[in-house]
Amino acid sequence: MKRKIMLLDLGRESKRMRHLLVTGRTFALLSFCSMMFFVMLGVAGMAHQQTTASPVNSMKGFAAAVSSGFFGDMLEMEMPAFQSSRETESFTTKQISSLLMRALTDINPNDPMSLLAGELPGLSANDAFLIRKGIGTDTAVGPEDNAPITYDPLGGLDEGDGTDVTDGGSNTDKDPDQLPVPTEQPDETDDGGKDSGDKGVTDKPTTGGSKVVFVYHSHNRESWYPELTDKSKDPNSSTKNITLVGKRLAEKLEEEGVGAQHSDTDYPTAIKNYRWELSYKYSMKTIKEAIASSKDLKFFFDLHRDSQKRKYTTIDIDGKSYAQVYFIIGHKNPNWEKNEAFATKIHEALDKKYPGISRGIWGKTAASGNAEYNQSLADDNVLIEVGGVDNTLEESYRTADALAEVISEIYWEEEKASAGKGKAS
């Protein structure tokens, strides 16, 4: 009987095992690298989508974090016609860290509430972001836009009343010294405390019969608590409202030789089945009709009253109180940079002549508002919030006078520049 003896070649088996281990390790390494590649590709895609869908890296993060001088230099490179009067400043560690935090997480280090805004529905409804700071601007306090509280239209409103939001009676808990005295008869000749020179001078340039400025109001019933007879009511009125400020602005522009057209359309009565959330749709029709009727229109201003309290919307200049202004730019408009450049001209001119009257230029996305505000209809179209719910009509008039002063100067400077280019060509 023959026996078969099997010999185990340990050297060969060991070599084969090592080969398998090396091959498996290589495979595992390649698999891990492939996984990481696709993870990074997905993260990059999400970051790109975030960049295109949000102004974090373009407007909200960068422009709000860098200095006014640096951003002005950038605008000058993109738009030669724009000239910034601000000096370039170097970056600070705080600005860089704030920029990186907002770019990576969309969290504003200056606003702790932004930590919760992304998790609680509705918390970011009024989340405007700062684009251009004013003198002394509190970067944590931006504009606020509250819808009017609905009321029974069959019940009507008394003259000067707002919308009742209580069970009746007056609000006796309020400090009578907390709010200013309402304006009985606003001074139509008040020049805002600035020396306007000789009123009899008639050699000012004029646009003749041409209307080059259009003033309108998407929320035309916005009013002020001090101007209403009952301070416990919603600050909206069909009679004493923001349209009076728009009328004042147009009149003062006319005095400066700049032809202005004003729309005081009362949309709640002009529009059947009126809905407040469609206000900008209604005002869009108003703008288009104005453009169709006058080809000379160049500047467009949608005047509003903000919903912030008095301490955030009032400043004293030369012994007189003014309603402060917010400039609002919608990021949904693809050409928002041009509207922002126009707002910057007004903002810087105001800060120079009336330090502190401007609370800066603020942007809004579709998550925090209409985000377009009809600004795509014209490059020189800007929404301006004049004062807040606790300001008076007189304070708002002073601010309208200041706006008319700087807007007219900007208009004539641009006309002079255009005339110079025409002669050169």
Side-chain angles (χ1 to χ4, degrees):
M1 181 176 177
K2 294 183 179 179
R3 294 182 178 180
K4 292 184 178 179
I5 299 175
M6 297 182 64
L7 299 176
L8 180 61
D9 190 346
L10 294 177
R12 180 182 297 177
E13 292 300 327
S14 177
K15 184 177 181 180
R16 182 181 301 173
M17 184 62 67
R18 287 197 303 270
H19 179 70
L20 289 174
L21 289 175
V22 170
T23 303
R25 189 181 302 160
T26 304
F27 177 77
L29 181 61
L30 290 174
S31 299
F32 178 76
C33 291
S34 298
M35 181 185 69
M36 292 302 299
F37 171 76
F38 284 108
V39 169
M40 292 176 65
L41 193 64
V43 170
M46 293 172 63
H48 176 70
Q49 184 179 10
Q50 174 74 5
T51 301
T52 56
S54 169
V56 169
N57 294 318
S58 59
M59 183 165 64
K60 177 166 60 175
F62 187 75
V66 301
S67 66
S68 298
F70 183 84
F71 193 71
D73 290 342
M74 293 185 62
L75 289 177
E76 286 183 4
M77 289 188 291
E78 296 297 327
M79 291 171 286
F82 174 76
Q83 297 294 327
S84 175
S85 60
R86 299 299 179 89
E87 294 183 359
T88 303
E89 302 171 5
S90 59
F91 286 100
T92 64
T93 304
K94 182 178 180 181
Q95 288 175 330
I96 295 175
S97 60
S98 176
L99 169 62
L100 292 177
M101 176 66 76
R102 299 187 72 176
L104 295 176
T105 65
D106 205 23
I107 294 174
N108 183 1
N110 298 320
D111 183 11
M113 193 172 67
S114 62
L115 290 167
L116 301 176
E119 302 299 327
L120 301 179
L123 189 59
S124 62
N126 281 311
D127 185 21
F129 46 87
L130 182 63
I131 301 175
R132 182 74 48 245
K133 289 198 301 182
I135 297 176
T137 298
D138 185 349
T139 57
V141 180
E144 189 174 298
D145 189 17
N146 295 335
I149 300 173
T150 57
Y151 65 95
D152 181 8
L154 297 179
L157 293 175
D158 294 330
E159 180 72 18
D161 280 359
T163 306
D164 196 355
V165 295
T166 66
D167 294 331
S170 62
N171 188 353
T172 58
D173 296 333
K174 286 191 176 180
D175 182 359
D177 296 329
Q178 184 177 0
L179 298 177
V181 178
T183 305
E184 296 296 335
Q185 292 293 333
D187 185 6
E188 295 291 339
T189 62
D190 185 6
D191 62 359
K194 299 288 183 178
D195 185 9
S196 58
D198 185 3
K199 297 292 184 179
V201 176
T202 58
D203 58 351
K204 287 183 179 180
T206 68
T207 59
S210 299
K211 303 297 183 182
V212 296
V213 176
F214 185 66
V215 183
Y216 64 102
H217 312 273
S218 296
H219 298 156
N220 64 283
R221 289 195 175 188
E222 291 176 332
S223 187
W224 313 267
Y225 282 124
E227 302 297 340
L228 303 177
T229 57
D230 191 335
K231 307 303 185 294
S232 66
K233 297 184 176 182
D234 186 41
N236 285 272
S237 170
S238 60
T239 54
K240 186 174 283 189
N241 51 48
I242 192 64
T243 61
L244 298 176
V245 181
K247 180 183 177 182
R248 173 81 168 212
L249 175 60
E251 290 173 349
K252 289 298 179 178
L253 285 171
E254 289 281 355
E255 291 180 11
E256 297 293 337
V258 179
Q261 182 179 346
H262 175 240
S263 170
D264 60 355
T265 303
D266 182 41
Y267 295 111
T269 56
I271 304 297
K272 185 179 181 180
N273 300 322
Y274 169 82
R275 292 170 56 187
W276 182 85
E277 64 271 20
L278 299 180
S279 297
Y280 293 100
K281 177 183 177 181
Y282 306 143
S283 60
M284 177 186 290
K285 182 179 179 182
T286 300
I287 301 172
K288 288 183 175 180
E289 290 176 349
I291 294 175
S293 63
S294 177
K295 301 298 182 181
D296 296 323
L297 288 175
K298 183 179 180 182
F299 293 171
F300 298 83
F301 299 102
D302 187 3
L303 260 56
H304 291 245
R305 181 268 300 142
D306 195 64
S307 297
Q308 285 286 11
K309 304 301 288 182
R310 181 174 179 80
K311 64 179 180 179
Y312 299 124
T313 62
T314 313
I315 189 171
D316 287 338
I317 302 175
D318 294 337
K320 292 190 176 183
S321 58
Y322 288 75
Q324 292 176 299
V325 298
Y326 292 100
F327 295 93
I328 308 298
I329 300 297
H331 182 72
K332 192 175 179 181
N333 170 24
N335 298 316
W336 64 264
E337 295 97 335
K338 296 180 180 179
N339 300 82
E340 195 271 337
F342 176 58
T344 297
K345 291 181 182 179
I346 304 174
H347 161 73
E348 292 186 345
L350 279 175
D351 256 356
K352 186 175 181 180
K353 286 179 172 288
Y354 301 85
I357 196 173
S358 173
R359 290 190 60 83
I361 303 173
W362 296 74
K364 286 192 176 184
T365 66
S368 59
N370 175 271
E372 205 275 340
Y373 307 114
N374 299 320
Q375 291 173 359
S376 61
L377 297 178
D379 295 339
D380 295 336
N381 186 353
V382 64
L383 187 155
I384 306 178
E385 302 270 9
V386 180
V389 291
D390 295 330
N391 286 107
T392 65
L393 184 55
E394 184 177 6
E395 292 168 338
S396 301
Y397 274 175
R398 292 193 185 112
T399 302
D401 296 350
L403 282 169
E405 181 183 349
V406 299
I407 290 170
S408 61
E409 290 178 357
I410 291 172
Y411 175 78
W412 291 120
E413 286 176 3
E414 292 190 359
E415 286 296 296
K416 186 184 297 183
S418 299
K421 289 180 180 179
K423 292 181 180 179
S425 61

